[in-house]
Amino acid sequence: MFKNLFNKNKNKVFYAFANGVSVDLSEVNDEVFSQKMMGEGVAIKPSEGKIYSPCDGAIAAVMRESKHAVGIRTKEGVEFLIHVGIDTVALNGEGFKLHCEEGKTVKKGELLLSFDRNFIKEKGLDDITMLVISEPKNHKVVNIYTGLDMKANEMILLEYN
């Protein structure tokens, strides 16, 4: 399973967007994500409150009020959403800080947003974070690495071609 973690092939990749354990979307406690209604993807149970860009791209959308989600478009046109937590939109941005702006380019490893994990837990919410491909642009996911202790910006989380 580890042979492809450092991308020796020609697939395009998303690197881990957070430190923590990677989880299959089907295990996320929210039907919208677990049933893949928004698209294919993967989740990470974060070990810290920092979310990084998993690839180079452009910020396509920022949830300015709630600050809990960021959409990115790759140069190939693949669009994906990184969504922090379950029902965290109800926090109205409290406990979150954005570090990116809509329309700006972003490089792999740049900090996108940060959040207070303790605050989210105190509110009784789950901070599991999903990456969902909303517009695959004729690309297909070929590998998703789950059940691993991910290092942000270093380990490959998902491969597509």
Side-chain angles (χ1 to χ4, degrees):
M1 180 193 271
F2 288 99
K3 67 183 187 321
N4 290 331
L5 286 182
F6 299 100
N7 200 30
K8 294 182 177 98
N9 55 31
K10 298 215 184 319
N11 290 331
K12 292 167 183 60
V13 301
F14 289 147
Y15 286 86
F17 55 82
N19 291 322
V21 177
S22 56
V23 177
D24 190 276
L25 270 188
S26 65
E27 296 176 36
V28 172
N29 193 20
D30 184 315
E31 271 190 18
V32 171
F33 296 105
S34 65
Q35 302 292 317
K36 300 182 181 173
M37 293 177 196
M38 292 178 65
E40 181 65 77
V42 63
I44 291 180
K45 287 184 182 174
S47 58
E48 65 178 6
K50 292 186 173 161
I51 303 299
Y52 303 93
S53 182
C55 63
D56 294 351
I59 304 297
V62 174
M63 306 310 149
R64 275 196 270 301
E65 265 112 68
S66 59
K67 302 175 187 158
H68 77 295
V70 175
I72 298 177
R73 182 181 308 108
T74 69
K75 68 179 184 224
E76 298 87 23
V78 174
E79 291 185 27
F80 63 94
L81 180 73
I82 296 178
H83 185 285
V84 177
I86 307 291
D87 297 329
T88 49
V89 68
L91 298 175
N92 296 315
E94 197 175 347
F96 288 87
K97 182 173 183 188
L98 287 171
H99 301 277
C100 61
E101 286 179 50
E102 202 167 313
K104 301 280 187 189
T105 58
V106 67
K107 293 279 188 204
K108 174 188 89 73
E110 278 188 48
L111 185 63
L112 297 175
L113 63 88
S114 54
F115 59 96
D116 183 335
R117 295 186 69 226
N118 290 328
F119 177 77
I120 290 172
K121 285 187 179 12
E122 284 168 12
K123 295 295 183 183
L125 301 175
D126 187 345
D127 67 357
I128 191 165
T129 302
M130 289 65 65
L131 181 154
V132 179
I133 299 172
S134 54
E135 173 50 72
K137 277 285 190 216
N138 300 318
H139 292 276
K140 184 152 183 63
V141 172
V142 293
N143 280 313
I144 297 176
Y145 298 97
T146 58
L148 298 173
D149 194 12
M150 287 287 166
K151 286 292 283 166
N153 313 317
E154 292 177 22
M155 294 175 72
I156 293 172
L157 182 62
L158 181 148
E159 294 180 75
Y160 66 99
N161 61 25

